[in-house]
Amino acid sequence: MTLYQYLALATLVFCIGLFGVLTRRNAVAVLIAIELMFNSVNLLLVAFTRYISPDGLVGQLFAVFIIVIAAAETTVGMAIVLLVYRGFRGIQVDRIGFLKW
Amino acid sequence: MELAPVVDLVRDAVTGFLQSLGLPAFVIDMVLALISASLIAGFMAVLALAFVWVERKVSAHIQNRLGPMRVGWHGVLQTLADALKLLQKEDIRPAAADRWIWWWAPAVSFIAVFAAFIAVPFGEGLVVRDFNIGVIYIVAITTFGVISMLMAGWGSNNKYSLLGGFRSAAQVVSYEVPMILAILSVVMVAGSLSMMSIVQAQEGTMLGFIPNWFIFRHFPFGLIAFIVFMIAGTAETNRTPFDLPEAESELVAGFATEYSGMKYAMFYLAEYSAMYVMAAMGTVLFLGGWHGPFLPSWLWFAAKTVLLVCVLIWFRWTFPRLRVDQLMELSWKFLIPVAFINLLAVGLWSVL
Amino acid sequence: MTGESLAFYGLAFMLVGASILAVSVRNVFHAAMYLILALFAVAGYFVLLNAEFLAAVQVLIYVGAVAVLVIFAVMLTTRLTDARVRAHNEQVGAGLVVAVAMFLAIVMAMWSTSWPISDAAPAVDNVRTLGRMLMTRFVLPFEIASVLLLAAMIGAIVIAAKETGPPQSEEST
């Protein structure tokens, strides 16, 4: 399996996640699509480590940090979604534009 | 009477036979994996049957009565009779339940525990696959079982199931942290995450007669780590005193309320097997795995694991149940600080 | 057809299929289930790419914690009327165009670069190497990541905690 196949796969998953972020109305579904994007980036980094520098595992370490940051971001994101739901009884992102001018 | 040479012989014979059929290498690997998986699944089923009988007998004797006595010698075949009964019960599906999620929850629960058996060393050289991340693999796979509780709770479309699922998930996720910290203390001393290496690091004796097990090493921190691990392991498998989510008097059967017949049996098979996996991990990490004089290694492993399972059963019928907030408080406010301090102390001891 | 390519294409089918379903189904709980499938596929890829520790960490943290968090959020914010609400907003066409354009642009850029593929043997003990790097070269990001997690934990608790105002006049009854 060459590097190019992993690149194509990771980009495909990234763009599927991008489509989800741009078009989903439910806030939790948007966060799910963001998770897909994070995972595609992790896959890409580990593929690079395996094919370009198999003995120095910097790419895998970077992927570990991305997992940590994704976990923190999802935590705060879900807390905000819960707060919004409590106030407005719905989390469709195109209806929560109250702060727009 | 070591079993490892017998297993190697059988495996070489099967591999030779498959190679003579001219199959490519990865197909041979897959066939061998399938055979190992079926053997493990069979072992799990027999194990669960045996442990249900042990639980009923032990609980009966703790409560000063006899337990099952009629079906087979002292009720040994009682669990088989119960399994046959459950098999022929009607499989009721709630009409408003989310069909696929409700159906998949028992399967996911079983898969999570089944996959953990792959890394357990049943004796010297008797491990299906010795991962070099064995310990984390088992912890990760048992974590995956949380999803099955949430699926069961949500898919049943029933308030009691949902509450039971929430509480179970919160409990399991909270008690993972002290469990991992206790495991980390052992891993730090052993210097490896592989189950076989951890067992091999516990060879020999200290001072001539005390076995070199992690429970006795770095006294008293090995003992504290063992106690934290046992408490966290009991909570991980939803056993009393931490079984509020599935207690009969509280939430009917918690997340398993809407399941009948074989699906209900699947959840309980998974629970007893998870109990075995926790006991096996406790044996490998703290009680020296398969080390022991005179008897073959798999017998020592089986004896130590059965001892820990009996301790878990003893807990169930001795302690009262903890309330949900007491349960969470125990984990976050007591076990985690104790586990952290233990980790620090073991680290300092190793360095100084 | 080696075992590795069989595994690659099988996991690719699972990953791409689960991702597409995760962004298109209406029922958000099902989307979370498909996300979990996708996460497992990525963990499978990590094993295929000699990163077993990362695969275990992926299952432990992503499936065991982040996915559970997503499922909790779904369960706490779903209403019965959500089954009849539109799942996608009116920019589906534009979103599709943007995603496809982005895919083509990135893939063309990647395929025309010549990557310095090395033949060095992969590191045998991932955990030891990662641990050593975390404690020597990358100790600052490690510490900052732990502070970040602490901040996220406290922040989430503060944001999502119920409002406990002044005590109600229950004592008057």
Side-chain angles (χ1 to χ4, degrees), chain A residues 23-24 26 35 39 51 86, chain C residues 25 28 39 58 62 89 118 160:
Chain A
T23 57
R24 288 283 252 171
N26 190 322
E35 293 302 320
N39 273 285
Y51 284 101
R86 225 178 266 160
Chain C
V25 292
V28 189
L39 295 173
Q58 163 96 354
Y62 253 122
N89 59 19
S118 109

Side-chain angles (χ1 to χ4, degrees), chain B residues 200-228:
Chain B
Q200 278 155 1
Q202 296 179 66
E203 257 184 281
T205 57
M206 315 186 280
L207 300 181
F209 65 99
I210 307 177
N212 201 12
W213 299 345
F214 284 128
I215 191 178
F216 299 125
R217 287 237 215 136
H218 299 187
F219 196 80
F221 300 115
L223 189 61
I224 295 179
F226 178 66
I227 293 174
V228 168

Side-chain angles (χ1 to χ4, degrees), chain B residues 26 98 101 143 150 166 191, chain C residues 6 29-30 53 64 72 75 128:
Chain B
F26 71 93
D98 190 336
I101 304 223
T143 305
L150 287 169
F166 269 166
Chain C
L6 184 68
F29 196 88
H30 290 177
F53 178 68
F72 264 92
M75 289 202 253
R128 195 174 292 266

Side-chain angles (χ1 to χ4, degrees), chain B residues 7 11 31-49 51 110-123 125-131 137-138 141 269-270 272-274 276-277 280 301:
Chain B
V7 170
R11 187 177 56 226
V31 170
L32 280 174
L34 266 166
I35 295 176
S36 320
S38 347
L39 283 173
I40 295 274
F43 179 63
M44 256 180 92
V46 171
L47 209 65
L49 285 174
F51 280 133
F110 177 79
I111 290 171
V113 182
F114 175 62
F117 269 79
I118 297 179
V120 171
F122 294 102
L126 280 177
V127 57
V128 178
R129 198 52 111 199
D130 184 32
F131 297 120
Y137 168 78
I138 293 188
I141 291 289
L269 170 71
Y272 280 94
S273 307
Y276 181 83
V277 168
F301 182 83

Side-chain angles (χ1 to χ4, degrees), chain C residues 36-47:
Chain C
I36 291 176
L37 258 179
L39 295 173
F40 265 108
V42 172
Y45 273 119
F46 287 161
V47 173

